[in-house]
Amino acid sequence: MIKLKKYTALALCAVTLGAPLSASATEFDQKIADQDKKIEGLQQTAQSAEAQKAALEQEVAAVEKEVKDVLTKKTQEEQKLSELTAKIQDLQAKIQKRELQLKEQARNVQTNNSAVALVNTVMEAKSISEAVEKTMAVSTILSANKEAMEQQTRDKAELEKLQQEAQQRLAVVTKKTEELKVKQEQLVEAKLDQQVKVNEIQASIASETAQKDKFQQQKEDAEKKRQEALKALEEQKKKEAEAREKAQAEAEKQAKIAAEQAQKALEEAAAEQAAAENAQQKAQAEIAALEAKQQEEQAKQQAQQVQTVTNPEAAQVPSAPNTETSTPATNSGGWASPLSIGLVVTSPFGPRVDPTGLSGSQHDGIDFAGAAGTSIHAAKAGTVVEAGFHWSAGNYVIIQHSDGYYSYYMHMISTPNCSVGQQVSQGQVIGGMGTTGNSTGVHLHFGVSTAVWSGFVNPAPLLGV
């Protein structure tokens, strides 16, 4: 309709003013045609841009699916490893208890001198039948000791088998953890690159309009944000590496002390074995030597766990948390540190760059650095309301306190040391540091809220950090 009116106006001008205006009308029509071509070209460019944007969205969706698949496999292996660790701890407890019994029986045999006691028993019998009965009783005791030793041997063989299986499981978990870390970094890169590319396309579409400068500025802002995000991720990696080095130094110190104690115990056991005068004394010395050797192996495992902190390929069976760690001091607000090794923050509470693409940009707690197996303490006395395994939190515990707060402890190395409904005291060891769940490195995620899984607040002022 507008074009028709224009043509009518031009015709009237031509009739009124004559032939010279015919050239002007033709030129105007040509400009309109040229503008139509430009608009058509812009529309084709826009369609191409939409197609490129859709392709980018498909790529991001594919990376997100890979991240979720790897995380699912990782958590499945961690749950199996957690169950296997519980079996190993139960079997270790049985072996330790039986070794104490055998050691006590060997000491009694050494003290009472079983050979002389057997002769005295027979000599003091009032009849042949009584002597036979007492002899059979002593033989039964000796036979029971033999069966206990054989069962001990079988249990130790089973323990070694479970530990080997646990090492294989842990190797798979470590591999999946590294794979998850790479996929998550790829996801962050893909999302950042997507925003930059989208703004590049928008800037290209706006090249024939007044919006070009606006889209160009948006592109520059997106690139700036991308660089800032990558810088923040790099700084966080650096901070985590420094924290792990500090934790490793402390763990190596403790491992060295444990190794020296184990070596001393081994030497004492060897001396005791060499000084044994009969078969019973040798058996007792051999048991002591086995205990010392076990302590030495545990010290080696602790040293290997230290290497796992900085070298994920050096995977070993996770040890139980050290329940003898000193209780952290309580601050004026009534809260105690959840760790006794000192608090090194690797990721504070509040907004942050999403490190995984699955956690969101709001960090609901504080991440503290430490070595695998480092004891985790209850920051305040209360009642355990949740304790178990979650695909994102890994092995975790939630404690309800009398002042209305709830405290959270996530990514533990194995099954928690407490259960739902249990009353825990301040400073009580509830687990050990690990990297289970949606995690790519050993750390403790500590959170505080006013309700279960909601109403999170910043724990830093409560802990004085």
Side-chain angles (χ1 to χ4, degrees), residues 32 106 141 155 225 404 435:
I32 292 175
I141 294 174
D155 285 349
K225 290 180 180 179
T435 180

Side-chain angles (χ1 to χ4, degrees), residues 114-156:
S114 62
V116 177
L118 179 60
V119 174
N120 290 338
T121 299
V122 175
M123 294 298 295
E124 293 175 357
K126 297 178 180 181
S127 64
I128 295 178
S129 62
E130 183 181 352
V132 171
E133 290 178 356
K134 292 184 176 182
T135 302
M136 291 179 64
V138 174
S139 299
T140 300
I141 294 174
L142 295 177
S143 176
N145 289 342
K146 181 179 178 182
E147 291 177 359
M149 290 292 290
E150 291 175 350
Q151 184 61 42
Q152 186 77 338
T153 301
R154 289 194 295 270
D155 285 349
K156 288 185 176 180

Side-chain angles (χ1 to χ4, degrees), residues 85-189:
T85 301
K87 292 181 180 179
I88 290 176
Q89 292 174 350
D90 290 342
L91 192 56
Q92 286 176 335
K94 289 180 181 179
I95 292 174
Q96 183 178 7
K97 182 177 180 180
R98 191 182 292 115
E99 284 186 351
L100 291 175
Q101 292 175 348
L102 292 174
K103 185 175 181 180
E104 183 64 23
Q105 290 174 359
R107 186 180 293 108
N108 291 336
V109 170
Q110 178 184 359
T111 303
N112 298 330
N113 196 343
S114 62
V116 177
L118 179 60
V119 174
N120 290 338
T121 299
V122 175
M123 294 298 295
E124 293 175 357
K126 297 178 180 181
S127 64
I128 295 178
S129 62
E130 183 181 352
V132 171
E133 290 178 356
K134 292 184 176 182
T135 302
M136 291 179 64
V138 174
S139 299
T140 300
I141 294 174
L142 295 177
S143 176
N145 289 342
K146 181 179 178 182
E147 291 177 359
M149 290 292 290
E150 291 175 350
Q151 184 61 42
Q152 186 77 338
T153 301
R154 289 194 295 270
D155 285 349
K156 288 185 176 180
E158 177 66 15
L159 176 60
E160 182 178 358
K161 179 181 177 182
L162 290 176
Q163 288 175 333
Q164 290 176 354
E165 183 180 352
Q167 288 176 347
Q168 295 173 356
R169 292 278 186 197
L170 186 57
V172 174
V173 170
T174 300
K175 181 180 178 181
K176 291 298 181 183
T177 299
E178 287 302 311
E179 184 178 350
L180 175 62
K181 186 176 182 180
V182 172
K183 292 293 184 183
Q184 290 172 342
E185 290 178 352
Q186 290 176 351
L187 179 58
V188 173
E189 291 274 356

Side-chain angles (χ1 to χ4, degrees), residues 50-81:
E50 288 297 327
Q52 293 182 40
K53 182 179 179 181
L56 286 173
E57 290 175 349
Q58 291 179 356
E59 292 178 6
V60 171
V63 176
E64 287 178 340
K65 184 178 183 303
E66 291 178 359
V67 170
K68 291 180 180 178
D69 291 343
V70 173
L71 179 58
T72 299
K73 294 178 181 178
K74 176 177 178 288
T75 52
Q76 290 174 349
E77 289 296 327
E78 287 174 342
Q79 195 162 10
K80 293 178 182 178
L81 179 59

Side-chain angles (χ1 to χ4, degrees), residues 29-41:
D29 288 340
Q30 184 63 44
K31 288 181 179 180
I32 292 175
D34 292 342
Q35 188 65 26
D36 288 339
K37 290 182 179 179
K38 290 182 180 180
I39 293 173
E40 182 180 356

Side-chain angles (χ1 to χ4, degrees), residues 191-234:
K191 286 187 174 181
L192 295 173
D193 290 343
Q194 179 194 35
Q195 189 61 38
V196 173
K197 290 179 180 178
V198 167
N199 282 279
E200 286 178 349
I201 294 170
Q202 291 174 337
S204 177
I205 295 174
S207 61
E208 296 295 332
T209 68
Q211 298 295 322
K212 177 179 178 180
D213 293 341
K214 176 182 176 181
F215 288 128
Q216 185 64 34
Q217 184 62 45
Q218 288 181 349
K219 173 191 171 183
E220 294 174 359
D221 291 342
E223 179 65 25
K224 182 179 179 181
K225 290 180 180 179
R226 176 178 178 272
Q227 294 298 331
E228 291 175 352
L230 293 176
K231 182 179 179 181
L233 289 174
E234 189 64 29

